[in-house]
Amino acid sequence: MWPRRRGGAPDAPGADGKAFNSLFGEILDWMLAPLLFLWPISIIVTHNVANSIANQPYDQALAVNVRAIARLVKVEGNLARVNFPAPARLILRADEDDTVYYQVLGFRGELLAGDKDIPPVTPPASVEPDLVMFRDEQIAGEDVRVAYQFLQPPDGARGRYVQLQVAETRNKRSTLASRVVTGVLLPQFAIIPIAVILVWLGLT
């Protein structure tokens, strides 16, 4: 005879096993669901960190180019001019992976040298000497990274600045960011199945 519950009803065979399997599955779900939820978040965070890492060395190179062009700018009275020799321009544009643009704008926003395609920006309220800033833009429908600087004339007149900009497409940056993401995510593909197996074994 089957053992009876309190009240006289006999227990069905396998009732304890079904209860155990139900509890086992519920615990497994509660432990694995956060893991599977956090994994896409980890991918997004890793991608953002990778982009930041990829920007740093190439931003420094853009800043060096901006400062090099700044040394070629001469201000004489109310006029600014730039003497940018052809060999230097060739060196600046000599990049096998990316397209490089540069631009020098005078006090009235007139183009003194370089490409007109880079969108100009409004000078800030105060300009720090030798400060190079960065922003993301688009040129001809393509994403670019722009380094730019404002040069104030020797007389220090406010509102009169020479604007220097160097822009570069993002091919090298994207390649480096992809390598960082791949290097981080590949181990995760191995770690997550191992974690699932360990949780299952632990619950068992």
Side-chain angles (χ1 to χ4, degrees), residues 86-165:
R89 295 197 300 269
L90 291 175
I91 292 174
L92 177 65
R93 296 188 187 274
D95 193 311
E96 296 180 355
D97 300 310
D98 285 293
T99 302
V100 179
Y101 306 85
Y102 75 95
Q103 183 185 83
V104 183
L105 300 179
F107 296 132
R108 297 182 299 277
E110 72 276 16
L111 183 66
L112 300 180
D115 307 288
K116 63 181 181 180
D117 304 306
I118 308 176
V121 292
T122 304
S126 60
V127 174
E128 288 186 41
D130 204 40
L131 175 65
V132 177
M133 295 165 282
F134 301 92
R135 72 181 193 278
D136 296 318
E137 279 283 1
Q138 277 199 341
I139 296 178
E142 192 169 11
D143 292 332
V144 296
R145 183 72 167 170
V146 183
Y148 60 103
Q149 181 182 10
F150 295 97
L151 297 181
Q152 201 167 14
D155 60 12
R158 289 183 175 272
R160 297 176 64 235
Y161 301 104
V162 175
Q163 186 176 146
L164 311 175
Q165 301 196 92

Side-chain angles (χ1 to χ4, degrees), residues 38-50 177-193:
L38 290 174
W39 190 41
I41 297 177
S42 170
I43 293 175
I44 295 172
V45 172
T46 301
H47 189 269
N48 291 336
V49 171
S178 297
R179 289 177 179 174
V180 174
V181 171
T182 301
V184 173
L185 293 184
L186 280 180
Q188 290 186 10
F189 279 111
I191 291 173
I192 288 180

Side-chain angles (χ1 to χ4, degrees), residues 37 94 99 112 174 176 186 203:
F37 174 75
T99 302
L112 300 180
S174 298
L176 179 56
L186 280 180
L203 289 175

Side-chain angles (χ1 to χ4, degrees), residues 1-13 15:
M1 295 181 62
W2 300 111
R4 294 180 176 272
R5 296 179 185 270
R6 185 176 299 176
D11 288 337

Side-chain angles (χ1 to χ4, degrees), residues 20 24 27-28 31-32 193-204:
F20 172 79
F24 182 90
I27 295 174
L28 193 63
M31 296 187 72
L32 294 182
I194 293 174
V196 172
I197 293 172
L198 291 177
V199 168
W200 185 83
L201 290 175
L203 289 175
T204 302

